[in-house]
Amino acid sequence: IELLLSEGPLAGRHAIVTSGPTIEQIDPVRYIANRSSGRQGHAIAAALAELGAKVTLISGPVALADPSGCTVVRVESAMQMLNAARSALPADIAVCAAAVADWSVVNRSTEKRKKKVGEAPPVIELGPNPDILATLSRAEAARPRLVVGFAAETQSLIENAQDKRLRKGCDWIVANDVSEGSESFGGESNTVHLIDSVGVEDWPRMSKAEVARRLARRIAATFET
Ligand code: CTP
Ligand code: CA
């Protein structure tokens, strides 16, 4: 019934969107995390829903309201995010906008670590996290038709992003400059470049909501053909 009622160019399509940071526990009161407000990812989820897609938004901890029209799955760690993304398959579209922590804590403690006078600070041992974007891009039979990743870089933006697109096996990369003064982090606006197999499209500086709407329209256009 939901399918019949939804309208728009993405009606009947399922999109998975990851957003926000992931957090990796050190002990019950401490964690390491990536920097992300979740604004861009949440805006993309909302924009896809606006065009009629059924959206599963998988979000790390953020201080944002749930975008309307999306099913929101809340997670903390990268491993939980991967499991949620896998469970949400099949999908036509995947947009990985989350700032996933690259490492998790191997020697995670179930009790709070206590300081002891005269003792050296604890050593946190890190191990690699799964790559959600690469996993979805290589999901064989279950691969979404269009997989979009993000690249937040502080230098050699386009080169690094093109390299990332090939390494991850995704179709598009949205590259954004997060060097000092770019105002991308936590801010309202973004300057991005859309990279596909053909080349690079430079988008003017615009709000994150506008980036989201433009990206959603571009996604819808690929499903019209
Ligand atoms: N990503 C992911 N899972 C990870 C790491 C990254 O899904 N464990 C996704 C992000 O959501 C983003 C893209 O991959 O869409 C690029 O993330 P980024 O951190 O820039 O790439 P990394 O491969 O982790 O490389 P870097 O060493 O630059 O952090
Ligand atoms: Ca990373």
Side-chain angles (χ1 to χ4, degrees), residues 18-20 22 34 78 81 95-103 128-136 148-153 160 164 167-168 170 172-174:
T18 71
S19 184
T22 68
N34 266 29
M81 189 172 272
V95 181
C96 293
V100 182
D102 291 307
W103 305 283
N129 261 338
D131 192 313
I132 298 150
L133 175 61
T135 304
L136 292 176
V148 184
F150 271 72
E153 308 285 347
N160 278 331
K164 215 159 255 183
R167 230 177 32 222
K168 306 261 184 175
C170 60
W172 298 354
I173 285 270
V174 180

PDB file of all heavy atoms in Angstrom, residues 18-20 22 34 78 81 95-103 128-136 148-153 160 164 167-168 170 172-174, ligand 1:
ATOM      1  N   THR A  18      23.673   6.095   5.072  1.00  0.00           N
ATOM      2  CA  THR A  18      24.354   6.112   6.369  1.00  0.00           C
ATOM      3  C   THR A  18      24.727   7.560   6.693  1.00  0.00           C
ATOM      4  O   THR A  18      25.034   8.346   5.802  1.00  0.00           O
ATOM      5  CB  THR A  18      25.627   5.235   6.400  1.00  0.00           C
ATOM      6  OG1 THR A  18      26.656   5.836   5.605  1.00  0.00           O
ATOM      7  CG2 THR A  18      25.351   3.818   5.912  1.00  0.00           C
ATOM      8  N   SER A  19      24.664   7.893   7.974  1.00  0.00           N
ATOM      9  CA  SER A  19      24.888   9.290   8.366  1.00  0.00           C
ATOM     10  C   SER A  19      25.458   9.377   9.780  1.00  0.00           C
ATOM     11  O   SER A  19      25.339   8.432  10.564  1.00  0.00           O
ATOM     12  CB  SER A  19      23.536  10.028   8.300  1.00  0.00           C
ATOM     13  OG  SER A  19      23.691  11.403   8.573  1.00  0.00           O
ATOM     14  N   GLY A  20      26.090  10.503  10.053  1.00  0.00           N
ATOM     15  CA  GLY A  20      26.610  10.737  11.398  1.00  0.00           C
ATOM     16  C   GLY A  20      27.937  10.039  11.634  1.00  0.00           C
ATOM     17  O   GLY A  20      28.495   9.413  10.738  1.00  0.00           O
ATOM     18  N   THR A  22      30.429   7.213  13.771  1.00  0.00           N
ATOM     19  CA  THR A  22      30.257   6.030  14.617  1.00  0.00           C
ATOM     20  C   THR A  22      31.109   6.266  15.849  1.00  0.00           C
ATOM     21  O   THR A  22      32.088   7.012  15.807  1.00  0.00           O
ATOM     22  CB  THR A  22      30.664   4.704  13.940  1.00  0.00           C
ATOM     23  OG1 THR A  22      32.084   4.679  13.746  1.00  0.00           O
ATOM     24  CG2 THR A  22      29.954   4.506  12.620  1.00  0.00           C
ATOM     25  N   ASN A  34      34.510   9.834  15.187  1.00  0.00           N
ATOM     26  CA  ASN A  34      34.841  10.735  14.090  1.00  0.00           C
ATOM     27  C   ASN A  34      34.003  11.991  14.236  1.00  0.00           C
ATOM     28  O   ASN A  34      32.957  11.984  14.874  1.00  0.00           O
ATOM     29  CB  ASN A  34      34.517  10.076  12.758  1.00  0.00           C
ATOM     30  CG  ASN A  34      35.710   9.374  12.174  1.00  0.00           C
ATOM     31  OD1 ASN A  34      36.583   8.900  12.896  1.00  0.00           O
ATOM     32  ND2 ASN A  34      35.758   9.320  10.871  1.00  0.00           N
ATOM     33  N   ALA A  78      30.762   1.027  14.135  1.00  0.00           N
ATOM     34  CA  ALA A  78      30.853   0.703  12.712  1.00  0.00           C
ATOM     35  C   ALA A  78      30.301  -0.695  12.449  1.00  0.00           C
ATOM     36  O   ALA A  78      29.608  -0.923  11.455  1.00  0.00           O
ATOM     37  CB  ALA A  78      32.303   0.790  12.253  1.00  0.00           C
ATOM     38  N   MET A  81      26.702  -0.522  12.372  1.00  0.00           N
ATOM     39  CA  MET A  81      26.253   0.168  11.156  1.00  0.00           C
ATOM     40  C   MET A  81      26.290  -0.780   9.959  1.00  0.00           C
ATOM     41  O   MET A  81      25.366  -0.822   9.149  1.00  0.00           O
ATOM     42  CB  MET A  81      27.112   1.414  10.910  1.00  0.00           C
ATOM     43  CG  MET A  81      26.588   2.297   9.798  1.00  0.00           C
ATOM     44  SD  MET A  81      27.469   3.877   9.658  1.00  0.00           S
ATOM     45  CE  MET A  81      26.545   4.897  10.793  1.00  0.00           C
ATOM     46  N   VAL A  95      23.706   5.451  -0.222  1.00  0.00           N
ATOM     47  CA  VAL A  95      24.528   6.656  -0.077  1.00  0.00           C
ATOM     48  C   VAL A  95      25.210   6.573   1.281  1.00  0.00           C
ATOM     49  O   VAL A  95      24.546   6.595   2.326  1.00  0.00           O
ATOM     50  CB  VAL A  95      23.694   7.954  -0.165  1.00  0.00           C
ATOM     51  CG1 VAL A  95      24.597   9.178  -0.029  1.00  0.00           C
ATOM     52  CG2 VAL A  95      22.908   8.013  -1.478  1.00  0.00           C
ATOM     53  N   CYS A  96      26.528   6.434   1.261  1.00  0.00           N
ATOM     54  CA  CYS A  96      27.281   6.316   2.519  1.00  0.00           C
ATOM     55  C   CYS A  96      27.864   7.680   2.878  1.00  0.00           C
ATOM     56  O   CYS A  96      28.919   8.066   2.377  1.00  0.00           O
ATOM     57  CB  CYS A  96      28.383   5.273   2.384  1.00  0.00           C
ATOM     58  SG  CYS A  96      27.739   3.603   2.195  1.00  0.00           S
ATOM     59  N   ALA A  97      27.147   8.388   3.727  1.00  0.00           N
ATOM     60  CA  ALA A  97      27.597   9.718   4.140  1.00  0.00           C
ATOM     61  C   ALA A  97      28.152   9.706   5.562  1.00  0.00           C
ATOM     62  O   ALA A  97      28.606  10.730   6.053  1.00  0.00           O
ATOM     63  CB  ALA A  97      26.446  10.711   4.034  1.00  0.00           C
ATOM     64  N   ALA A  98      28.107   8.554   6.208  1.00  0.00           N
ATOM     65  CA  ALA A  98      28.575   8.491   7.597  1.00  0.00           C
ATOM     66  C   ALA A  98      30.087   8.680   7.678  1.00  0.00           C
ATOM     67  O   ALA A  98      30.825   8.314   6.766  1.00  0.00           O
ATOM     68  CB  ALA A  98      28.192   7.145   8.215  1.00  0.00           C
ATOM     69  N   ALA A  99      30.522   9.281   8.766  1.00  0.00           N
ATOM     70  CA  ALA A  99      31.947   9.381   9.073  1.00  0.00           C
ATOM     71  C   ALA A  99      32.267   8.208   9.988  1.00  0.00           C
ATOM     72  O   ALA A  99      32.164   8.301  11.212  1.00  0.00           O
ATOM     73  CB  ALA A  99      32.254  10.703   9.755  1.00  0.00           C
ATOM     74  N   VAL A 100      32.599   7.087   9.356  1.00  0.00           N
ATOM     75  CA  VAL A 100      32.798   5.845  10.103  1.00  0.00           C
ATOM     76  C   VAL A 100      34.189   5.858  10.739  1.00  0.00           C
ATOM     77  O   VAL A 100      35.179   6.168  10.070  1.00  0.00           O
ATOM     78  CB  VAL A 100      32.667   4.637   9.149  1.00  0.00           C
ATOM     79  CG1 VAL A 100      32.816   3.329   9.907  1.00  0.00           C
ATOM     80  CG2 VAL A 100      31.339   4.675   8.398  1.00  0.00           C
ATOM     81  N   ALA A 101      34.262   5.511  12.004  1.00  0.00           N
ATOM     82  CA  ALA A 101      35.564   5.407  12.670  1.00  0.00           C
ATOM     83  C   ALA A 101      36.373   4.322  11.966  1.00  0.00           C
ATOM     84  O   ALA A 101      35.853   3.252  11.669  1.00  0.00           O
ATOM     85  CB  ALA A 101      35.383   5.070  14.140  1.00  0.00           C
ATOM     86  N   ASP A 102      37.611   4.609  11.656  1.00  0.00           N
ATOM     87  CA  ASP A 102      38.418   3.639  10.923  1.00  0.00           C
ATOM     88  C   ASP A 102      38.904   2.486  11.791  1.00  0.00           C
ATOM     89  O   ASP A 102      39.239   1.428  11.282  1.00  0.00           O
ATOM     90  CB  ASP A 102      39.614   4.349  10.280  1.00  0.00           C
ATOM     91  CG  ASP A 102      39.178   5.268   9.154  1.00  0.00           C
ATOM     92  OD1 ASP A 102      38.464   4.779   8.255  1.00  0.00           O
ATOM     93  OD2 ASP A 102      39.515   6.466   9.178  1.00  0.00           O
ATOM     94  N   TRP A 103      38.902   2.723  13.091  1.00  0.00           N
ATOM     95  CA  TRP A 103      39.390   1.686  14.002  1.00  0.00           C
ATOM     96  C   TRP A 103      38.433   1.494  15.170  1.00  0.00           C
ATOM     97  O   TRP A 103      37.728   2.412  15.572  1.00  0.00           O
ATOM     98  CB  TRP A 103      40.766   2.084  14.570  1.00  0.00           C
ATOM     99  CG  TRP A 103      41.762   2.388  13.506  1.00  0.00           C
ATOM    100  CD1 TRP A 103      42.434   1.467  12.741  1.00  0.00           C
ATOM    101  CD2 TRP A 103      42.213   3.688  13.057  1.00  0.00           C
ATOM    102  NE1 TRP A 103      43.268   2.123  11.854  1.00  0.00           N
ATOM    103  CE2 TRP A 103      43.159   3.470  12.034  1.00  0.00           C
ATOM    104  CE3 TRP A 103      41.903   5.001  13.430  1.00  0.00           C
ATOM    105  CZ2 TRP A 103      43.800   4.523  11.373  1.00  0.00           C
ATOM    106  CZ3 TRP A 103      42.540   6.050  12.776  1.00  0.00           C
ATOM    107  CH2 TRP A 103      43.478   5.803  11.755  1.00  0.00           C
ATOM    108  N   PRO A 128      41.257  -2.660  12.826  1.00  0.00           N
ATOM    109  CA  PRO A 128      40.501  -2.078  11.708  1.00  0.00           C
ATOM    110  C   PRO A 128      38.992  -2.338  11.811  1.00  0.00           C
ATOM    111  O   PRO A 128      38.570  -3.386  12.299  1.00  0.00           O
ATOM    112  CB  PRO A 128      41.087  -2.785  10.479  1.00  0.00           C
ATOM    113  CG  PRO A 128      41.678  -4.049  11.000  1.00  0.00           C
ATOM    114  CD  PRO A 128      42.127  -3.767  12.403  1.00  0.00           C
ATOM    115  N   ASN A 129      38.216  -1.393  11.345  1.00  0.00           N
ATOM    116  CA  ASN A 129      36.770  -1.560  11.254  1.00  0.00           C
ATOM    117  C   ASN A 129      36.399  -2.032   9.851  1.00  0.00           C
ATOM    118  O   ASN A 129      37.149  -1.785   8.902  1.00  0.00           O
ATOM    119  CB  ASN A 129      36.077  -0.206  11.515  1.00  0.00           C
ATOM    120  CG  ASN A 129      35.578  -0.095  12.936  1.00  0.00           C
ATOM    121  OD1 ASN A 129      35.370  -1.102  13.619  1.00  0.00           O
ATOM    122  ND2 ASN A 129      35.381   1.124  13.388  1.00  0.00           N
ATOM    123  N   PRO A 130      35.232  -2.657   9.711  1.00  0.00           N
ATOM    124  CA  PRO A 130      34.793  -3.034   8.359  1.00  0.00           C
ATOM    125  C   PRO A 130      34.485  -1.772   7.553  1.00  0.00           C
ATOM    126  O   PRO A 130      34.126  -0.744   8.119  1.00  0.00           O
ATOM    127  CB  PRO A 130      33.509  -3.827   8.619  1.00  0.00           C
ATOM    128  CG  PRO A 130      33.013  -3.355   9.946  1.00  0.00           C
ATOM    129  CD  PRO A 130      34.246  -3.019  10.739  1.00  0.00           C
ATOM    130  N   ASP A 131      34.629  -1.853   6.249  1.00  0.00           N
ATOM    131  CA  ASP A 131      34.304  -0.739   5.367  1.00  0.00           C
ATOM    132  C   ASP A 131      32.900  -0.957   4.785  1.00  0.00           C
ATOM    133  O   ASP A 131      32.690  -1.860   3.973  1.00  0.00           O
ATOM    134  CB  ASP A 131      35.351  -0.636   4.247  1.00  0.00           C
ATOM    135  CG  ASP A 131      35.226   0.669   3.478  1.00  0.00           C
ATOM    136  OD1 ASP A 131      34.095   1.041   3.110  1.00  0.00           O
ATOM    137  OD2 ASP A 131      36.263   1.309   3.247  1.00  0.00           O
ATOM    138  N   ILE A 132      31.973  -0.137   5.226  1.00  0.00           N
ATOM    139  CA  ILE A 132      30.573  -0.322   4.848  1.00  0.00           C
ATOM    140  C   ILE A 132      30.370  -0.013   3.371  1.00  0.00           C
ATOM    141  O   ILE A 132      29.712  -0.768   2.640  1.00  0.00           O
ATOM    142  CB  ILE A 132      29.663   0.558   5.742  1.00  0.00           C
ATOM    143  CG1 ILE A 132      29.811   0.108   7.197  1.00  0.00           C
ATOM    144  CG2 ILE A 132      28.208   0.478   5.291  1.00  0.00           C
ATOM    145  CD1 ILE A 132      29.603   1.193   8.217  1.00  0.00           C
ATOM    146  N   LEU A 133      30.949   1.091   2.906  1.00  0.00           N
ATOM    147  CA  LEU A 133      30.817   1.480   1.494  1.00  0.00           C
ATOM    148  C   LEU A 133      31.395   0.408   0.573  1.00  0.00           C
ATOM    149  O   LEU A 133      30.761   0.015  -0.412  1.00  0.00           O
ATOM    150  CB  LEU A 133      31.523   2.824   1.266  1.00  0.00           C
ATOM    151  CG  LEU A 133      31.583   3.330  -0.172  1.00  0.00           C
ATOM    152  CD1 LEU A 133      30.199   3.555  -0.760  1.00  0.00           C
ATOM    153  CD2 LEU A 133      32.402   4.622  -0.246  1.00  0.00           C
ATOM    154  N   ALA A 134      32.582  -0.089   0.893  1.00  0.00           N
ATOM    155  CA  ALA A 134      33.211  -1.110   0.058  1.00  0.00           C
ATOM    156  C   ALA A 134      32.409  -2.409   0.098  1.00  0.00           C
ATOM    157  O   ALA A 134      32.266  -3.097  -0.916  1.00  0.00           O
ATOM    158  CB  ALA A 134      34.649  -1.356   0.513  1.00  0.00           C
ATOM    159  N   THR A 135      31.867  -2.730   1.267  1.00  0.00           N
ATOM    160  CA  THR A 135      31.070  -3.956   1.396  1.00  0.00           C
ATOM    161  C   THR A 135      29.816  -3.873   0.527  1.00  0.00           C
ATOM    162  O   THR A 135      29.497  -4.810  -0.207  1.00  0.00           O
ATOM    163  CB  THR A 135      30.684  -4.201   2.867  1.00  0.00           C
ATOM    164  OG1 THR A 135      31.875  -4.241   3.651  1.00  0.00           O
ATOM    165  CG2 THR A 135      29.931  -5.510   3.035  1.00  0.00           C
ATOM    166  N   LEU A 136      29.115  -2.741   0.579  1.00  0.00           N
ATOM    167  CA  LEU A 136      27.900  -2.584  -0.235  1.00  0.00           C
ATOM    168  C   LEU A 136      28.241  -2.564  -1.723  1.00  0.00           C
ATOM    169  O   LEU A 136      27.518  -3.118  -2.548  1.00  0.00           O
ATOM    170  CB  LEU A 136      27.152  -1.302   0.154  1.00  0.00           C
ATOM    171  CG  LEU A 136      26.510  -1.296   1.546  1.00  0.00           C
ATOM    172  CD1 LEU A 136      25.899   0.072   1.844  1.00  0.00           C
ATOM    173  CD2 LEU A 136      25.446  -2.390   1.675  1.00  0.00           C
ATOM    174  N   VAL A 148      26.865   5.393  -3.756  1.00  0.00           N
ATOM    175  CA  VAL A 148      27.509   6.700  -3.670  1.00  0.00           C
ATOM    176  C   VAL A 148      28.268   6.827  -2.357  1.00  0.00           C
ATOM    177  O   VAL A 148      27.725   6.544  -1.291  1.00  0.00           O
ATOM    178  CB  VAL A 148      26.454   7.841  -3.749  1.00  0.00           C
ATOM    179  CG1 VAL A 148      27.134   9.210  -3.746  1.00  0.00           C
ATOM    180  CG2 VAL A 148      25.560   7.677  -4.975  1.00  0.00           C
ATOM    181  N   GLY A 149      29.526   7.240  -2.459  1.00  0.00           N
ATOM    182  CA  GLY A 149      30.315   7.465  -1.257  1.00  0.00           C
ATOM    183  C   GLY A 149      30.707   8.919  -1.123  1.00  0.00           C
ATOM    184  O   GLY A 149      30.491   9.719  -2.044  1.00  0.00           O
ATOM    185  N   PHE A 150      31.273   9.261   0.002  1.00  0.00           N
ATOM    186  CA  PHE A 150      31.785  10.608   0.250  1.00  0.00           C
ATOM    187  C   PHE A 150      33.288  10.539   0.456  1.00  0.00           C
ATOM    188  O   PHE A 150      33.812   9.513   0.903  1.00  0.00           O
ATOM    189  CB  PHE A 150      31.124  11.216   1.494  1.00  0.00           C
ATOM    190  CG  PHE A 150      29.856  11.942   1.180  1.00  0.00           C
ATOM    191  CD1 PHE A 150      28.709  11.243   0.837  1.00  0.00           C
ATOM    192  CD2 PHE A 150      29.815  13.331   1.200  1.00  0.00           C
ATOM    193  CE1 PHE A 150      27.540  11.913   0.523  1.00  0.00           C
ATOM    194  CE2 PHE A 150      28.644  14.011   0.893  1.00  0.00           C
ATOM    195  CZ  PHE A 150      27.515  13.307   0.554  1.00  0.00           C
ATOM    196  N   ALA A 151      33.963  11.599   0.143  1.00  0.00           N
ATOM    197  CA  ALA A 151      35.376  11.701   0.483  1.00  0.00           C
ATOM    198  C   ALA A 151      35.620  13.058   1.112  1.00  0.00           C
ATOM    199  O   ALA A 151      35.455  14.082   0.447  1.00  0.00           O
ATOM    200  CB  ALA A 151      36.244  11.507  -0.746  1.00  0.00           C
ATOM    201  N   ALA A 152      35.932  13.051   2.370  1.00  0.00           N
ATOM    202  CA  ALA A 152      36.279  14.283   3.067  1.00  0.00           C
ATOM    203  C   ALA A 152      37.791  14.335   3.141  1.00  0.00           C
ATOM    204  O   ALA A 152      38.412  13.468   3.741  1.00  0.00           O
ATOM    205  CB  ALA A 152      35.663  14.279   4.467  1.00  0.00           C
ATOM    206  N   GLU A 153      38.360  15.308   2.473  1.00  0.00           N
ATOM    207  CA  GLU A 153      39.822  15.372   2.402  1.00  0.00           C
ATOM    208  C   GLU A 153      40.310  16.768   2.777  1.00  0.00           C
ATOM    209  O   GLU A 153      39.603  17.757   2.590  1.00  0.00           O
ATOM    210  CB  GLU A 153      40.310  15.064   0.976  1.00  0.00           C
ATOM    211  CG  GLU A 153      39.776  13.781   0.359  1.00  0.00           C
ATOM    212  CD  GLU A 153      40.418  12.521   0.919  1.00  0.00           C
ATOM    213  OE1 GLU A 153      41.455  12.623   1.603  1.00  0.00           O
ATOM    214  OE2 GLU A 153      39.869  11.430   0.676  1.00  0.00           O
ATOM    215  N   ASN A 160      42.606  12.278  -4.432  1.00  0.00           N
ATOM    216  CA  ASN A 160      42.282  11.330  -3.362  1.00  0.00           C
ATOM    217  C   ASN A 160      40.889  10.744  -3.547  1.00  0.00           C
ATOM    218  O   ASN A 160      40.657   9.560  -3.300  1.00  0.00           O
ATOM    219  CB  ASN A 160      42.368  12.006  -1.995  1.00  0.00           C
ATOM    220  CG  ASN A 160      43.797  12.072  -1.482  1.00  0.00           C
ATOM    221  OD1 ASN A 160      44.619  11.232  -1.808  1.00  0.00           O
ATOM    222  ND2 ASN A 160      44.084  13.082  -0.679  1.00  0.00           N
ATOM    223  N   LYS A 164      39.772   6.968  -4.250  1.00  0.00           N
ATOM    224  CA  LYS A 164      38.835   6.337  -3.313  1.00  0.00           C
ATOM    225  C   LYS A 164      37.688   5.654  -4.053  1.00  0.00           C
ATOM    226  O   LYS A 164      37.264   4.564  -3.696  1.00  0.00           O
ATOM    227  CB  LYS A 164      38.285   7.421  -2.366  1.00  0.00           C
ATOM    228  CG  LYS A 164      38.039   6.950  -0.969  1.00  0.00           C
ATOM    229  CD  LYS A 164      38.003   8.109   0.020  1.00  0.00           C
ATOM    230  CE  LYS A 164      39.269   8.167   0.844  1.00  0.00           C
ATOM    231  NZ  LYS A 164      39.231   9.238   1.858  1.00  0.00           N
ATOM    232  N   ARG A 167      39.023   2.412  -5.409  1.00  0.00           N
ATOM    233  CA  ARG A 167      39.370   1.467  -4.343  1.00  0.00           C
ATOM    234  C   ARG A 167      38.136   0.867  -3.698  1.00  0.00           C
ATOM    235  O   ARG A 167      38.107  -0.310  -3.365  1.00  0.00           O
ATOM    236  CB  ARG A 167      40.198   2.197  -3.291  1.00  0.00           C
ATOM    237  CG  ARG A 167      41.467   1.460  -2.935  1.00  0.00           C
ATOM    238  CD  ARG A 167      42.309   2.238  -1.959  1.00  0.00           C
ATOM    239  NE  ARG A 167      41.492   3.018  -1.061  1.00  0.00           N
ATOM    240  CZ  ARG A 167      41.743   4.266  -0.677  1.00  0.00           C
ATOM    241  NH1 ARG A 167      42.778   4.869  -1.086  1.00  0.00           N
ATOM    242  NH2 ARG A 167      40.951   4.912   0.131  1.00  0.00           N
ATOM    243  N   LYS A 168      37.117   1.701  -3.515  1.00  0.00           N
ATOM    244  CA  LYS A 168      35.911   1.235  -2.817  1.00  0.00           C
ATOM    245  C   LYS A 168      34.963   0.494  -3.750  1.00  0.00           C
ATOM    246  O   LYS A 168      34.107  -0.241  -3.294  1.00  0.00           O
ATOM    247  CB  LYS A 168      35.169   2.429  -2.215  1.00  0.00           C
ATOM    248  CG  LYS A 168      36.029   3.306  -1.335  1.00  0.00           C
ATOM    249  CD  LYS A 168      35.823   2.990   0.101  1.00  0.00           C
ATOM    250  CE  LYS A 168      36.609   3.944   0.965  1.00  0.00           C
ATOM    251  NZ  LYS A 168      36.316   3.721   2.381  1.00  0.00           N
ATOM    252  N   CYS A 170      32.676   1.989  -5.626  1.00  0.00           N
ATOM    253  CA  CYS A 170      31.364   2.654  -5.716  1.00  0.00           C
ATOM    254  C   CYS A 170      31.248   3.377  -7.055  1.00  0.00           C
ATOM    255  O   CYS A 170      32.216   3.491  -7.808  1.00  0.00           O
ATOM    256  CB  CYS A 170      31.155   3.608  -4.545  1.00  0.00           C
ATOM    257  SG  CYS A 170      32.357   4.930  -4.426  1.00  0.00           S
ATOM    258  N   TRP A 172      29.721   6.641  -7.601  1.00  0.00           N
ATOM    259  CA  TRP A 172      29.997   8.074  -7.479  1.00  0.00           C
ATOM    260  C   TRP A 172      30.677   8.361  -6.155  1.00  0.00           C
ATOM    261  O   TRP A 172      30.459   7.655  -5.157  1.00  0.00           O
ATOM    262  CB  TRP A 172      28.705   8.896  -7.473  1.00  0.00           C
ATOM    263  CG  TRP A 172      27.863   8.815  -8.702  1.00  0.00           C
ATOM    264  CD1 TRP A 172      28.166   8.183  -9.887  1.00  0.00           C
ATOM    265  CD2 TRP A 172      26.553   9.370  -8.864  1.00  0.00           C
ATOM    266  NE1 TRP A 172      27.119   8.328 -10.759  1.00  0.00           N
ATOM    267  CE2 TRP A 172      26.126   9.048 -10.165  1.00  0.00           C
ATOM    268  CE3 TRP A 172      25.701  10.107  -8.033  1.00  0.00           C
ATOM    269  CZ2 TRP A 172      24.875   9.444 -10.648  1.00  0.00           C
ATOM    270  CZ3 TRP A 172      24.466  10.498  -8.516  1.00  0.00           C
ATOM    271  CH2 TRP A 172      24.058  10.168  -9.812  1.00  0.00           C
ATOM    272  N   ILE A 173      31.472   9.421  -6.181  1.00  0.00           N
ATOM    273  CA  ILE A 173      32.021   9.954  -4.930  1.00  0.00           C
ATOM    274  C   ILE A 173      31.679  11.437  -4.855  1.00  0.00           C
ATOM    275  O   ILE A 173      31.853  12.172  -5.825  1.00  0.00           O
ATOM    276  CB  ILE A 173      33.566   9.786  -4.861  1.00  0.00           C
ATOM    277  CG1 ILE A 173      33.970   8.347  -4.569  1.00  0.00           C
ATOM    278  CG2 ILE A 173      34.160  10.744  -3.827  1.00  0.00           C
ATOM    279  CD1 ILE A 173      34.116   7.975  -3.091  1.00  0.00           C
ATOM    280  N   VAL A 174      31.137  11.843  -3.734  1.00  0.00           N
ATOM    281  CA  VAL A 174      30.940  13.264  -3.472  1.00  0.00           C
ATOM    282  C   VAL A 174      32.156  13.716  -2.661  1.00  0.00           C
ATOM    283  O   VAL A 174      32.347  13.274  -1.528  1.00  0.00           O
ATOM    284  CB  VAL A 174      29.642  13.528  -2.682  1.00  0.00           C
ATOM    285  CG1 VAL A 174      29.469  15.025  -2.435  1.00  0.00           C
ATOM    286  CG2 VAL A 174      28.438  12.962  -3.415  1.00  0.00           C
TER     287      VAL A 174
HETATM  288  N1  CTP B   1      33.300   4.466   4.802  1.00  0.00           N
HETATM  289  C1  CTP B   1      32.572   3.366   5.225  1.00  0.00           C
HETATM  290  N2  CTP B   1      33.095   2.535   6.168  1.00  0.00           N
HETATM  291  C2  CTP B   1      34.317   2.761   6.685  1.00  0.00           C
HETATM  292  C3  CTP B   1      35.069   3.891   6.272  1.00  0.00           C
HETATM  293  C4  CTP B   1      34.534   4.714   5.319  1.00  0.00           C
HETATM  294  O1  CTP B   1      31.459   3.167   4.747  1.00  0.00           O
HETATM  295  N3  CTP B   1      34.796   1.925   7.604  1.00  0.00           N
HETATM  296  C5  CTP B   1      32.741   5.333   3.752  1.00  0.00           C
HETATM  297  C6  CTP B   1      32.342   6.719   4.204  1.00  0.00           C
HETATM  298  O2  CTP B   1      30.999   6.748   4.612  1.00  0.00           O
HETATM  299  C7  CTP B   1      32.569   7.526   2.940  1.00  0.00           C
HETATM  300  C8  CTP B   1      33.716   6.823   2.256  1.00  0.00           C
HETATM  301  O3  CTP B   1      33.740   5.504   2.779  1.00  0.00           O
HETATM  302  O4  CTP B   1      31.469   7.442   2.081  1.00  0.00           O
HETATM  303  C9  CTP B   1      35.052   7.445   2.424  1.00  0.00           C
HETATM  304  O5  CTP B   1      35.375   7.562   3.769  1.00  0.00           O
HETATM  305  P1  CTP B   1      36.823   8.039   4.171  1.00  0.00           P
HETATM  306  O6  CTP B   1      36.959   8.047   5.655  1.00  0.00           O
HETATM  307  O7  CTP B   1      37.110   9.309   3.429  1.00  0.00           O
HETATM  308  O8  CTP B   1      37.683   6.877   3.503  1.00  0.00           O
HETATM  309  P2  CTP B   1      38.712   5.845   4.086  1.00  0.00           P
HETATM  310  O9  CTP B   1      38.751   4.703   3.137  1.00  0.00           O
HETATM  311  O10 CTP B   1      38.420   5.527   5.515  1.00  0.00           O
HETATM  312  O11 CTP B   1      40.095   6.590   3.931  1.00  0.00           O
HETATM  313  P3  CTP B   1      40.874   7.627   4.897  1.00  0.00           P
HETATM  314  O12 CTP B   1      42.157   6.949   5.215  1.00  0.00           O
HETATM  315  O13 CTP B   1      41.054   8.851   4.022  1.00  0.00           O
HETATM  316  O14 CTP B   1      40.036   7.903   6.109  1.00  0.00           O
END
